[in-house]
């Protein structure tokens, strides 16, 4: 593992690190914010999964999360959104290939060899963090934006017991019924739609729900709201009687100005779950 | 004036606007955050001047200032750092020409026709803001980073009575004695160093001081600290018995991680001055 940069930030350290990923068969880069408390021992961690076209860097520089995480003594991890490198398959469209891993393990060519973001976020990166940093693997929570909100919700429901809480900003909530989803799931997983169900937050919510609190914010003026389909998740949450807060925020759009506005709420929400009991 | 974008942000609006600048003889773009209170009438404003290589956008997306400004009911304006356009002179170096206006009125060719950032920030843009937006011209404060910290300090001392308070993050504090200064002041103002004095915060502090509170943060691990010369400003502040807080922040560098860490303090500092009396 190679340190790309470390900057003092809210009494802690915002680092960027690159490591060889066996899962993705390429070098992967991630951001990690460690609060001051990590000097004294393992701290809880909040995962932030980013959206289409993003790298590890966008949320790290624009979401304004570090100050709130520092206040709560929580680490933040910012993974990349896809495998990277010259030998990694790509597509001309912004929403397929690099920057658009959709947090699945691809089974179809040309994606299968590298696009294994589910295993990367679920297995390889957590193991690396627990090994190299003062991170407490028993106190994890997860959030994300757009495609990353989809990732957060599906990972939280797919890995029951792993995360104490899950939240999302403008998540892609029902990809099996959206142009942000059908194209990518077909490409990565193939045309058999039965393999898609494990990667649809609304279907998972209907099927299993989440054993913990859920918080989702979406802007009423989100320019992509028809692709996000918050109504599918809202219906599933209510039908399951899932413990959850779903908020439609008046006038907000899909940007980081929206995310940063509500970041304080999300970090406080996760802190309550991470420090409970 | 053309609206480039408007995003909901902390109950207010983060806008980006382009207008024809008579002063700079080119189109200029700026960012403006208006808090919710601006719907009901004019609000105080905090200017944020950016550093070398920046546009209006860097601080607007990375400094994390809007949340604190919203809390205080204060507008934020983010000007560009130089004139722009194909017919504007430039230099291959990152620290001269576009992105490096140094907040002076150039008198030397090829810079003189467009590089008039002092007049742009001191006269033209404030007049436009007061005309087009709910900004109270009697309640202004100013801050900035690096070259923009230099701009904030020199404008505040050069326009006595304009700003209620001034602060800076890692300002270029003594440009007449620094490679971040001598080169640019020679290029823009010519070899006669007597014309430079009005653009050196340490010389101005020694000469006139500032009629209000001053706050300056610099990181002890700032990679450019030898170019910033905080010691010159510190000496001048003490010699003048200027009301001021100068902080050397342990371990912090020159990045936006440093700026965002201390932004809450700076906005609160200005709010106190803007709402006093």
């Amino acid at each position: 593992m190679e340190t790309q940069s470390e900057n003092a930030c809210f009494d802690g350290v915002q680092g960027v690190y690159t490591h060889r990923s066996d899962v993705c068969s390429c070098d992967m880069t991630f951001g990690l914010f460690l609060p001051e408390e990590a000097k004294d021992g393992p701290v809880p961690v909040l995962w932030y999964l980013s959206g289409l076209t993003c790298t590890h860097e966008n949320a790290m520089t624009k979401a304004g999360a570090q100050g709130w995480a520092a206040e709560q003594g929580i680490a933040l991890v910012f993974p990349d959104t896809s495998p990277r490198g010259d030998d990694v398959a790509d597509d001309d469209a912004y929403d397929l290939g690099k920057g658009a891993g959709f947090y699945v393990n691809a089974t179809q060519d040309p994606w299968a060899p590298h696009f294994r973001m589910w295993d990367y976020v679920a297995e390889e990166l957590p193991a690396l963090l627990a090994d190299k940093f003062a991170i407490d693997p028993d106190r994890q929570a997860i959030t994300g934006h757009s495609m990353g909100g989809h990732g957060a919700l599906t990972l939280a429901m797919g890995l029951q017991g792993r995360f104490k809480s899950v939240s999302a900003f403008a998540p892609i909530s029902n990809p099996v019924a959206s142009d942000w989803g059908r194209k990518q799931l077909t490409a990565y997983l193939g045309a058999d739609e039965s393999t898609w169900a494990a990667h649809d937050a609304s279907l998972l919510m209907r099927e299993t729900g989440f054993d913990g609190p859920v918080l989702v914010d979406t802007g009423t003026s989100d320019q992509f709201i028809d692709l996000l389909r918050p109504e599918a998740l809202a219906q599933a949450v209510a039908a399951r009687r899932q413990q959850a807060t779903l908020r439609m925020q008046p006038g907000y759009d899909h940007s980081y100005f929206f995310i940063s506005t509500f970041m304080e709420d999300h970090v406080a929400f996760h802190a309550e779950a991470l420090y409970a009991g």
Side-chain angles (χ1 to χ4, degrees), chain A:
Chain A
M1 196 182 71
E2 190 187 337
T3 301
Q4 302 291 346
S5 60
E6 289 186 330
N7 299 86
C9 184
F10 289 97
D11 295 330
V13 177
Q14 176 61 59
V16 174
Y17 308 93
T18 298
H19 67 107
R20 180 68 194 177
S21 166
D22 293 332
V23 163
C24 295
S25 301
C26 65
D27 286 349
M28 292 292 280
T29 298
F30 64 94
L32 177 68
F33 171 74
L34 285 178
E36 190 175 22
E37 288 81 352
K39 289 178 194 164
D40 301 324
V43 295
V45 61
L46 173 59
W47 292 74
Y48 182 102
L49 304 185
S50 281
L52 290 165
T53 76
C54 289
T55 69
H56 67 283
E57 196 178 10
N58 304 61
M60 195 182 97
T61 56
K62 300 201 293 185
Q66 291 94 343
W68 309 120
E71 199 171 285
Q72 303 283 2
I74 293 172
L76 298 167
V77 57
F78 304 97
D80 203 345
T81 59
S82 78
R84 303 284 176 178
D86 292 341
D87 61 336
V88 172
D90 202 4
D91 188 275
D92 287 342
Y94 75 96
D95 60 359
L96 190 66
K98 289 178 187 173
F102 258 79
Y103 305 101
V104 302
N105 294 329
T107 57
Q108 308 296 304
D109 286 332
W111 314 107
H114 297 286
F115 282 75
R116 301 185 62 80
M117 290 302 292
W118 178 281
D119 280 355
Y120 177 68
V121 172
E123 305 300 338
E124 188 177 40
L125 187 51
L128 181 77
L129 293 179
D131 182 41
K132 303 280 189 191
F133 299 96
I135 298 289
D136 180 356
D138 292 331
R139 288 184 293 168
Q140 300 189 57
I142 192 164
T143 187
H145 172 231
S146 196
M147 176 183 76
H150 146 77
L153 290 164
T154 54
L155 281 152
M157 288 187 274
L159 301 168
Q160 293 286 346
R162 169 75 61 91
F163 300 104
K164 303 290 188 195
S165 48
V166 60
S167 78
F169 300 87
I172 299 176
S173 299
N174 190 204
V176 306
S178 168
D179 286 343
W180 272 356
R182 296 192 62 81
K183 167 184 171 178
Q184 294 84 357
L185 295 172
T186 303
Y188 297 141
L189 302 180
D192 176 3
E193 296 193 20
S194 69
T195 65
W196 300 3
H199 300 286
D200 184 290
S202 297
L203 296 181
L204 284 166
M205 182 56 73
R206 197 159 307 185
E207 198 66 32
T208 63
F210 175 69
D211 183 22
V214 176
L215 171 64
V216 180
D217 277 316
T218 305
T220 62
S221 299
D222 191 307
Q223 61 270 45
F224 302 111
I225 199 162
D226 291 343
L227 294 163
L228 304 177
R229 295 183 48 77
E231 63 275 17
L233 182 63
Q235 192 195 25
V237 161
R240 167 148 295 278
R241 283 61 164 149
Q242 166 72 44
Q243 171 191 0
T245 301
L246 309 183
R247 306 190 298 191
M248 299 295 292
Q249 299 287 4
Y252 286 88
D253 58 29
H254 203 67
S255 69
Y256 270 92
F257 297 114
F258 157 65
I259 298 169
S260 62
T261 298
F262 299 104
M263 184 55 78
E264 180 180 13
D265 290 357
H266 283 245
V267 174
F269 161 80
H270 290 293
E272 195 175 323
L274 288 166
Y275 288 115

